[in-house]
Amino acid sequence: MSGERMRFACSTSDMKVFIYDDDKQIEALTKILEDREKDTRRVEREIKNARDRWQPALEQLVASIGKKFSAAFDRIGCAGEIRISPHDDYDKWAIDILVKFRDNEKLQLLTGQRQSGGERSLTTILYLMSLTEEARTPFSLVDEINQGMDQRAERAVHNSLVEVTCKPDSAQYFLITPKLLPDLDYHERMKVLCVNNGEWLPETPGLGHMNRMIENFVQLNRDRVSRDRSFRAG
C-alpha cells in the first residue's frame, strides 16, 4: 500500500468518519472550512458592532422607565424595579419586573402565580404610567385596571394617573371602570363620561340626564356651604 492512501469509512449511530485518498478533495474541503470560519467571524463582528450601537440606548431607556416605576412604587409604600434580562438567543431577551408589597419580603419577579390579581393590576398600571412619558402613541386605554385593588392603592394609582396623563404634552388616556372612589383628584383637562344602560332606564325624555343630575348635586353642595357660612356669621 506504499504511496497510496487507504479509503476508509466507518459509521456508528452517532457519527460518520471518512478518510479520503484524494489530496484535491482534502484541499477543497479545507478551503470550504476556512471560508465558513471566515464568514462566521465576519458575522460575529457585525453582531457585536450592532449590539454596541443599540444596547447602550436600550439600557438608558429601561433605566429611565425604571426610575419612574420605582418612584411610583415608593409613593404607595411598596418597592418595584425593572431589569433587562439578556440571553444568548436574542429572541429570548426580556424585561423583568420585580415587586415587593410587604416589608418582610424581598423583591420578587412578577408572575401570573406569585402575586395576587390586585397586585398584578397595580403593577401593570404603574408600569404603563412609567411608559407614558417615553411612548409615542396617540392614546392608551385600560379597562377595569382598578379591580381587586385595596382603597389605598386605588386612590394612589388614580391620583398618580391624573398627574401623569394631564400634562400638556401627554397623549390621550382612557380609563374604563364600573366604579370610582369618592374624593379623588381630578383635573380640568379630564372628561368624565357616564354610560347608563339597562332595562330600568326611564322612558320619559330628559329624566335621569346625568349632566343635569351632576349640576344639581353641585348646586346643592354650594347652597349648603353658603347656608353654613351664613349660620356661622350670624
Side-chain angles (χ1 to χ4, degrees):
M1 297 183 60
S2 173
E4 297 181 357
R5 277 198 183 87
M6 180 178 64
R7 177 178 297 161
F8 173 77
C10 76
S11 175
T12 70
S13 59
D14 297 324
M15 66 178 183
K16 291 184 178 180
V17 178
F18 296 94
I19 300 178
Y20 294 94
D21 61 353
D22 190 338
D23 287 338
K24 291 183 178 179
Q25 283 183 291
I26 296 174
E27 184 178 348
L29 291 172
T30 302
K31 180 67 168 58
I32 291 174
L33 180 60
E34 291 175 350
D35 289 342
R36 289 183 178 179
E37 289 177 344
K38 187 183 299 183
D39 289 341
T40 300
R41 290 193 295 269
R42 176 182 56 79
V43 171
E44 288 175 346
R45 286 196 303 270
E46 292 175 353
I47 292 174
K48 183 180 183 304
N49 291 337
R51 180 168 175 171
D52 289 343
R53 289 194 299 271
W54 60 256
Q55 187 169 353
L58 175 64
E59 291 173 347
Q60 183 178 359
L61 176 62
V62 172
S64 176
I65 296 170
K67 184 177 180 180
K68 298 180 180 68
F69 183 75
S70 297
F73 263 82
D74 288 342
R75 287 195 293 270
I76 62 172
C78 301
E81 187 176 314
I82 296 174
R83 300 174 185 169
I84 298 175
S85 177
H87 195 279
D88 291 338
D89 184 349
Y90 287 98
D91 285 340
K92 296 181 180 179
W93 277 54
I95 298 292
D96 285 343
I97 300 177
L98 297 98
V99 293
K100 184 181 79 168
F101 292 97
R102 283 160 284 276
D103 292 336
N104 60 346
E105 291 180 347
K106 295 181 179 179
L107 283 169
Q108 296 179 327
L109 185 67
L110 183 72
T111 67
Q113 296 78 34
R114 183 172 290 140
Q115 290 80 18
S116 68
E119 291 169 346
R120 292 197 300 273
S121 295
L122 174 60
T123 303
T124 300
I125 189 63
L126 292 180
Y127 182 67
L128 290 175
M129 288 167 54
S130 302
L131 290 173
T132 298
E133 296 181 40
E134 306 289 347
R136 296 294 180 267
T137 55
F139 70 90
S140 301
L141 185 148
V142 291
D143 183 16
E144 299 189 18
I145 197 67
N146 55 338
Q147 301 305 296
M149 295 184 192
D150 60 55
Q151 291 193 9
R152 179 182 64 89
E154 183 177 349
R155 187 176 301 279
V157 165
H158 176 91
N159 294 341
S160 297
L161 188 63
V162 172
E163 179 183 354
V164 170
T165 61
C166 289
K167 295 178 180 179
D169 57 345
S170 295
Q172 282 187 303
Y173 214 97
F174 295 89
L175 171 64
I176 301 174
T177 178
K179 69 175 183 67
L180 286 172
L181 296 174
D183 302 321
L184 295 171
D185 290 346
Y186 291 91
H187 192 278
E188 61 182 5
R189 292 172 61 87
M190 292 175 63
K191 180 175 289 188
V192 180
L193 303 177
C194 299
V195 180
N196 297 305
N197 191 20
E199 58 181 324
W200 300 107
L201 288 176
E203 296 182 2
T204 305
L207 186 63
H209 191 283
M210 183 60 68
N211 284 341
R212 195 171 300 134
M213 293 170 63
I214 294 173
E215 291 170 0
N216 290 339
F217 176 78
V218 172
Q219 186 60 48
L220 287 172
N221 276 347
R222 287 174 179 170
D223 293 344
R224 179 178 57 79
V225 171
S226 180
R227 286 195 303 270
D228 290 345
R229 289 176 178 172
S230 299
F231 179 76
R232 287 196 297 269

